[in-house]
Amino acid sequence: MNGYSPLSYKTDLKPVWCPGCGDFGVLNSLYRALAELKIEPHDTVVVSGIGCSSRLPGYVEAYGFNSLHGRALPIATGAKLASPALKVIAVGGDGDGVAIGGNHFLHAARRNTDLTYIMMDNEIYGLTKGQAAPTTPIGDKTKSTTYGNPEAAVDPCALAISFGATWVGRGFSGDVKGTAELMKLAIAHKGFAFLDIISPCVTWRGDDQHKEIRAKLRTLPAGYDKTKRTSADAYTNEADVVTTGVLFEVEHPTLIDEILEIRWKAQGDKQPPTRKDLLKAFTPSF
Amino acid sequence: MSRILATGNYAAGQALALAGEANRNARGCCAGAYPITPQTEIIEYLRGAVFTKGRIVPVESEHSAMGVCIGASMSGARAFTASSSNGLAYMTENIFAAGYYRLPIVLIAVNRTLGPPWNIWVDQGDSLALRDAAWLQFYCSTHQDLVDTILMAFRVAEDPRILLPVMVAMDGFVSSHTQMVVDVPSQELVDQYLPLCNVPQRLDHSRPATMGGLTWPRETERHRRDIQEAMERVPLVLEEAREEFYAVFGRRPDGAVAAEHTGDAETLLIASSTMAETARDVVRRRRTREEKIGLLRIKQFRPFPRAEVQQIVRGAKRIGVLDRNHSPGSGGIFWGEVAATLQGSGVLLQDYITGIGGGDVTPDVIENIIDDLNGRTASSEPLWQEVAV
């Protein structure tokens, strides 16, 4: 690849998303973040599940994997552990990540696997045409909640923090520049980074969703302490506002660090492993 | 009885809702519901339906959808759901559990090829992968066949001589999303046709019991043999269900198989689902040219109707099986069953795998298959009749 520009990460495949879909903004933010971090396509893997947003890997000039519904994270974990030098980015929707794939979200986070997980959160199942997801607000009428949704919604950021993610942020797809900045931080973070991007579905959540969300946007206050889990309590599960920014960030050994530490101790070595040892340990010889 | 113009999904949703409501004077009905193309409209219909005593529960995955059905059926409710493709694949663990628990659950399988690569169109690979799950399987060819088979499915599944779950399959999009005129019976008639659901092993506070304990080999062998014996009683119970259907609704749905011009046929096609309807037109056209050709539609795949197949194909010189499915390393799955059924008969039996991943099997495709079959002096390995779309 000659130089790093957002356009150089674009493939020839034209997105199949509806006009006005928030996922266009997420894709453009990702192009921008990859270019600004100067990440080589051959060092990057984008893994998705199933859903509208999970079409994204095909649109990024990198290794791509459109996997099974809810299963992006285990596949991303396998790719990262087998080849730790790769930047592994898992992407998908809210239905994919907190419904059918909810268990994987828990375990990838608690292991602090060195992955970036980007959720395109539209509060609905879009690809199957508008059924309630676990993120759909209580009371909402959808195609599967004819008389109103009886279930309380979950906030993926609150889940991620409680699951043990070491970096958690929220963005809005209508703010391409701001979301790209959050993506850069998430990708650069060592450990499990979760970025929830509010990405309007104009087809199944109404034409005005962009406007409505924009009116609810807030940023974190000055002096916000992102290293405390309890700080995020006030900015998750919000009813009438959407707070964007880095909600939580701590340093903690990653899964690979822990595995190497255990191996090092078990073998009685005096020196901690070097990057070369690490690659040797995890890269097959063929 | 009302005649309506409906899609296969809408018709299936109506039939399930009627059957569920018919159990209102017992323990009601319950379904776990999760969307997947092309069946989503069925669960949407059910979520909008109003039941006197029933709950349709939106869940987080297909695995959980069948889990809800298992719990509901164990509590004595009439339980049902619908899924497709990888949804069925993900549901598989609980599908086996439902069969092995002997729970009379009805599942609508809207056939769609399994991914990856991702494709939302029809082939039967998804439900046929579940052929060994202790479920009865029916493959429907028209919307009327679908409605009637769903109603019969509850009657057969809940019969104390059977007590096994039933999968009713239709072709994704070709059936699920196209409209046909269909007679949907009144609630009153469905109430008359379906007895109140009685699951004898249901949870009962007067008989506390733990389901699914640890067994020794001899108990496991007995359990599997019991299932086989129940499967062997299906022909009798299905026949009774058809006769009663005729008595209540005034029409007699197809049973395990349906034969068309097979009496003197020298060339015989075997097909299932909507492909059988296309084949029927081709066979009728060829009959006008006085060709001795016939069609056998296999509707019931589990238990496999060996006796019916053996009897119907007896006079045929050459048989072509149209398979919209594929077992890698073997061939068409209907062909494999037919070959086992006809072993030693000496008849020329050729497999044609076609319409995989939703390829449109038009009359011309079937004409070509018949021409190939008529020109054969020996069978070959399964042939792929690819259809470009």
Side-chain angles (χ1 to χ4, degrees):
Chain A
M1 200 164 82
N2 296 322
Y4 301 90
S5 78
L7 281 180
S8 59
Y9 291 90
K10 195 172 174 178
T11 64
D12 295 336
L13 214 56
K14 200 178 162 202
V16 291
W17 297 319
C18 305
C21 175
D23 294 349
F24 285 103
V26 179
L27 181 61
N28 286 326
S29 298
L30 186 59
Y31 291 151
R32 192 186 278 237
L34 291 171
E36 290 180 17
L37 289 171
K38 297 187 168 45
I39 295 176
E40 294 287 350
H42 61 258
D43 285 337
T44 312
V45 188
V46 185
V47 187
S48 69
I50 291 289
C52 297
S53 54
S54 285
R55 303 295 287 265
L56 186 139
Y59 312 140
V60 182
E61 189 67 36
Y63 292 111
F65 204 134
N66 188 174
S67 78
L68 308 180
H69 200 194
R71 313 301 154 209
L73 286 171
I75 289 167
T77 301
K80 183 67 186 179
L81 290 187
S83 191
L86 291 174
K87 278 284 174 205
V88 181
I89 303 169
V91 300
D94 44 305
D96 186 89
V98 296
I100 197 164
N103 50 349
H104 305 310
F105 188 12
L106 158 62
H107 297 291
R110 80 173 173 86
R111 291 182 185 121
N112 200 27
T113 321
D114 190 12
L115 303 170
T116 306
Y117 181 26
I118 295 171
M119 184 174 286
M120 286 164 262
D121 182 351
N122 60 7
E123 302 181 337
I124 198 87
Y125 284 102
L127 193 60
T128 49
K129 301 183 183 172
Q131 296 78 31
T135 43
T136 306
I138 192 164
D140 277 20
K141 287 186 180 175
T142 71
K143 285 176 76 186
S144 63
T145 53
T146 319
Y147 311 104
N149 180 20
E151 300 176 3
V154 295
D155 180 340
C157 289
L159 290 180
I161 294 168
S162 65
F163 289 165
T166 49
W167 190 99
V168 177
R170 186 185 288 116
F172 170 54
S173 70
D175 174 14
V176 173
K177 199 175 161 195
T179 301
E181 290 303 316
L182 287 168
M183 281 183 183
K184 281 161 62 181
L185 294 171
I187 293 168
H189 176 74
K190 192 163 175 283
F192 187 82
F194 173 69
L195 178 58
D196 181 38
I197 304 174
I198 307 299
S199 179
C201 174
V202 293
T203 304
W204 301 109
R205 296 290 292 160
D207 289 341
D208 292 334
Q209 222 203 357
H210 275 283
K211 261 193 264 175
E212 287 168 11
I213 291 168
R214 203 175 281 281
K216 291 182 185 176
L217 288 179
R218 303 283 186 278
T219 51
L220 289 161
Y224 176 79
D225 183 358
K226 62 185 177 186
T227 62
K228 285 205 174 87
R229 286 184 180 198
T230 48
S231 305
D233 286 351
Y235 304 99
T236 49
N237 292 307
E238 296 166 306
D240 300 317
V241 295
V242 174
T243 303
T244 59
V246 182
L247 296 166
F248 184 63
E249 183 177 11
V250 287
E251 280 187 27
H252 192 76
T254 68
L255 178 62
I256 289 175
D257 295 335
E258 297 283 13
I259 290 171
L260 291 174
E261 176 79 9
I262 288 168
R263 177 184 294 212
W264 173 51
K265 281 182 184 164
Q267 290 176 343
D269 290 348
K270 300 255 185 290
Q271 296 297 316
T274 62
R275 180 179 162 79
K276 203 176 157 191
D277 295 331
L278 186 152
L279 287 173
K280 200 177 159 194
F282 283 93
T283 309
S285 56
F286 49 83
Chain B
M1 197 93 69
S2 66
R3 281 165 71 78
I4 58 167
L5 185 64
T7 63
N9 277 346
Y10 188 83
Q14 281 215 329
L16 290 174
L18 284 164
E21 182 65 7
N23 203 40
R24 63 193 174 282
N25 294 323
R27 293 200 179 190
C29 67
C30 190
Y34 194 74
I36 185 168
T37 304
Q39 74 75 22
T40 304
E41 290 157 342
I42 299 178
I43 60 103
E44 283 180 351
Y45 181 86
L46 293 173
R47 285 283 289 159
V50 177
F51 293 98
T52 308
K53 190 176 180 183
R55 297 277 185 279
I56 309 298
V57 189
V59 289
E60 66 283 359
S61 71
E62 289 87 358
H63 197 282
S64 308
M66 184 50 63
V68 166
C69 289
I70 289 172
S73 186
M74 273 190 180
S75 302
R78 182 164 282 156
F80 42 83
T81 189
S83 196
S84 297
S85 185
N86 285 62
L88 289 169
Y90 187 46
M91 192 187 273
T92 294
E93 188 180 25
N94 266 336
I95 285 181
F96 271 85
Y100 287 161
Y101 282 132
R102 307 286 305 263
L103 296 170
I105 296 164
V106 172
L107 168 76
I108 311 302
V110 183
N111 285 134
R112 165 186 154 185
T113 194
L114 285 159
W118 299 110
N119 171 334
I120 56 173
W121 293 295
V122 60
D123 70 46
Q124 299 164 325
D126 52 356
S127 57
L128 285 173
L130 300 165
R131 63 194 164 171
D132 301 332
W135 286 59
L136 279 67
Q137 286 197 341
F138 295 96
Y139 290 83
C140 297
S141 61
T142 66
H143 295 11
Q144 194 63 61
D145 189 28
L146 181 67
V147 167
D148 297 353
T149 306
I150 291 169
L151 296 175
M152 285 200 301
F154 284 102
R155 201 178 156 105
V156 174
E158 294 168 8
D159 189 290
R161 293 166 290 178
I162 305 296
L163 282 173
L164 284 170
V166 180
M167 203 174 291
V168 181
M170 70 167 123
D171 283 352
F173 292 101
V174 184
S175 283
S176 65
H177 284 63
T178 57
Q179 293 186 318
M180 290 181 93
V181 174
V182 56
D183 270 339
V184 178
S186 65
Q187 187 65 58
E188 196 184 353
L189 287 179
V190 176
D191 291 351
Q192 205 179 314
Y193 181 63
L194 288 179
L196 295 179
C197 177
N198 177 21
V199 183
Q201 71 272 38
R202 69 178 178 274
L203 304 174
D204 180 348
H205 62 83
S206 64
R207 297 179 288 128
T210 302
M211 310 293 283
L214 201 64
T215 60
W216 293 101
R218 63 173 181 275
E219 290 153 339
T220 304
E221 283 173 351
R222 171 60 63 87
H223 172 247
R224 303 294 198 271
R225 210 175 73 193
D226 282 351
I227 289 172
Q228 177 60 27
E229 286 169 3
M231 285 283 187
E232 286 165 11
R233 290 190 287 270
V234 168
L236 172 70
V237 176
L238 181 67
E239 203 44 43
E240 288 174 13
R242 288 177 70 211
E243 287 307 313
E244 185 62 20
F245 197 99
Y246 179 72
V248 175
F249 302 111
R251 60 171 177 273
R252 194 176 274 107
D254 286 339
V257 298
E260 175 95 13
H261 296 301
T262 52
D264 62 344
E266 293 177 358
T267 298
L268 196 86
L269 293 183
I270 294 181
S272 63
S273 299
T274 56
M275 236 170 28
E277 292 300 307
T278 312
R280 187 196 307 269
D281 278 354
V282 175
V283 164
R284 283 179 182 170
R285 203 154 54 215
R286 290 225 177 197
R287 273 279 163 179
T288 62
R289 302 202 296 259
E290 298 187 350
E291 287 184 41
K292 288 191 171 177
I293 184 166
L295 170 73
L296 171 63
R297 174 166 89 91
I298 297 182
K299 173 173 160 180
Q300 178 189 294
F301 187 80
R302 279 291 179 270
F304 194 75
R306 281 195 209 123
E308 291 89 335
V309 171
Q310 279 166 347
Q311 194 210 335
I312 289 168
V313 309
R314 215 164 28 200
K317 290 183 176 159
R318 58 196 84 81
I319 300 171
V321 182
L322 276 61
D323 268 305
R324 197 173 219 153
N325 56 73
H326 173 229
S327 174
S330 175
I333 296 170
F334 278 75
W335 164 78
E337 296 282 337
V338 172
T341 300
L342 301 182
Q343 58 166 325
S345 68
V347 68
L348 189 156
L349 180 67
Q350 180 62 48
D351 187 21
Y352 298 93
I353 296 169
T354 190
I356 299 293
D360 192 8
V361 183
T362 60
D364 286 346
V365 173
I366 295 174
E367 293 277 8
N368 289 339
I369 287 173
I370 297 171
D371 289 342
D372 178 84
L373 183 62
N374 283 336
R376 284 194 165 271
T377 52
S379 59
S380 69
E381 285 293 298
L383 289 173
W384 285 72
Q385 190 77 34
E386 291 180 9
V387 284
V389 282

